[in-house]
Amino acid sequence: MTLKDTLAQVLTSDEAVSKSMETYDSEGYITIADKEEQQQVLSKLEENDFYVYDEQFIDGVYRIYIEL
């Protein structure tokens, strides 16, 4: 399963998925605005064998750093 597919399982709209993926391509992390969604995304990433090596809360946004 791709990263985008994994995010689509939790995030409610295509726009939210695209916004979350935007920073992954340029900065190497995905962004999530909501704490509950962040926890659900972390769980789904783990279920789908993605390695999360860091997570941060900066400027009101959760950053999840993953290794593909």
Side-chain angles (χ1 to χ4, degrees):
M1 183 172 287
T2 67
L3 178 58
K4 190 172 184 176
D5 293 338
T6 302
L7 291 174
Q9 291 180 335
V10 176
L11 303 177
T12 54
S13 69
D14 288 339
E15 183 180 332
V17 173
S18 294
K19 185 172 181 168
S20 183
M21 288 289 298
E22 204 172 87
T23 53
Y24 185 75
D25 294 332
S26 61
E27 305 293 328
Y29 58 86
I30 55 175
T31 56
I32 308 289
D34 181 74
K35 174 70 174 172
E36 185 176 317
E37 286 180 342
Q38 184 247 11
Q39 291 299 319
Q40 292 174 354
V41 166
L42 285 171
S43 177
K44 285 292 181 185
L45 289 169
E46 185 177 298
E47 284 176 23
N48 290 298
D49 297 325
F50 288 96
Y51 174 65
V52 175
Y53 65 88
D54 195 14
E55 55 183 288
Q56 299 174 345
F57 183 71
I58 299 174
D59 297 330
V61 177
Y62 296 92
R63 294 179 179 185
I64 301 174
Y65 295 83
I66 61 171
E67 192 173 298
L68 295 179

